[in-house]
Amino acid sequence: MTSPAYDANNIFAKILKGEIPSYRIYEDEHTVAFMDVMPQAPGHTLVLPKSPSRNLLDADPSVLPNLITTVQKVAVAIQEAFDADGVYIAQFNEPAAGQTVFHLHFHIIPRHEGIALKPHSGKMEDGTVLAENAKKIIEALR
Ligand code: AMP
């Protein structure tokens, strides 16, 4: 199977264009990071390249160095902000692998010993909680 075409109207494309709000924690020339609205744990963040691709399979390789650099930067800040024992980083390609939004993104989730993750795309988190968690990560990024 070859990758289907990129849909420029996907929800993350709209967030990148500023048409839909997000709890943004980081932005540079090439990448953006914001809070996942249905977090699997407090602090669950998504990192995206600004340039369009459905997922990793159809991404231009030149996008990847900047992207993984931002993933690392945000993961380190999340580890500090949530005093995490570990950091889970995930990336899904196509529905069969669990992908639900078709603009390349990495999930970054702080983990604590003995605490299970909530389900993927489960319950919508309260906006004040997302804003508080975003603030913690932004402070750790400074
Ligand atoms: P994936 O299955 O890897 O495509 O994950 C998509 C993620 O996007 C899920 O974890 C959703 O909770 C999250 N999500 C969906 N809509 C939004 C949104 N508007 N803002 C932030 N996160 C979202």
Side-chain angles (χ1 to χ4, degrees):
M1 178 192 139
T2 51
S3 292
Y6 179 78
D7 172 10
N9 285 318
N10 76 77
I11 194 151
F12 290 172
K14 289 182 177 172
I15 287 175
L16 288 170
K17 283 184 267 179
E19 294 172 5
I20 289 179
S22 67
Y23 297 89
R24 209 165 280 217
I25 59 116
Y26 179 81
E27 177 166 5
D28 62 25
E29 191 188 344
H30 302 287
T31 60
V32 168
F34 51 81
M35 306 309 291
D36 193 305
V37 290
M38 290 173 264
Q40 292 186 254
H44 183 167
T45 299
L46 302 169
V47 174
L48 287 63
K50 288 185 176 174
S51 63
S53 71
R54 256 176 90 80
N55 52 45
L56 192 61
L57 305 179
D58 62 334
D60 185 330
S62 68
V63 165
L64 303 180
N66 288 315
L67 180 59
I68 204 70
T69 298
T70 300
V71 168
Q72 183 195 39
K73 192 179 293 206
V74 171
V76 168
I78 283 176
Q79 180 188 36
E80 185 189 318
F82 292 88
D83 195 22
D85 299 320
V87 180
Y88 175 75
I89 296 175
Q91 188 277 317
F92 307 132
N93 300 283
E94 299 301 329
Q99 188 178 9
T100 59
V101 179
F102 299 95
H103 181 110
L104 173 57
H105 56 278
F106 281 81
H107 297 259
I108 305 181
I109 308 178
R111 298 300 312 268
H112 294 90
E113 295 291 353
I115 299 179
L117 285 184
K118 292 184 200 154
H120 178 59
S121 295
K123 187 172 153 283
M124 187 78 82
E125 184 56 277
D126 193 77
T128 50
V129 174
L130 293 172
E132 274 169 24
N133 288 337
K135 197 168 154 225
K136 283 186 197 168
I137 302 170
I138 290 165
E139 278 166 12
L141 279 165
R142 285 199 181 114

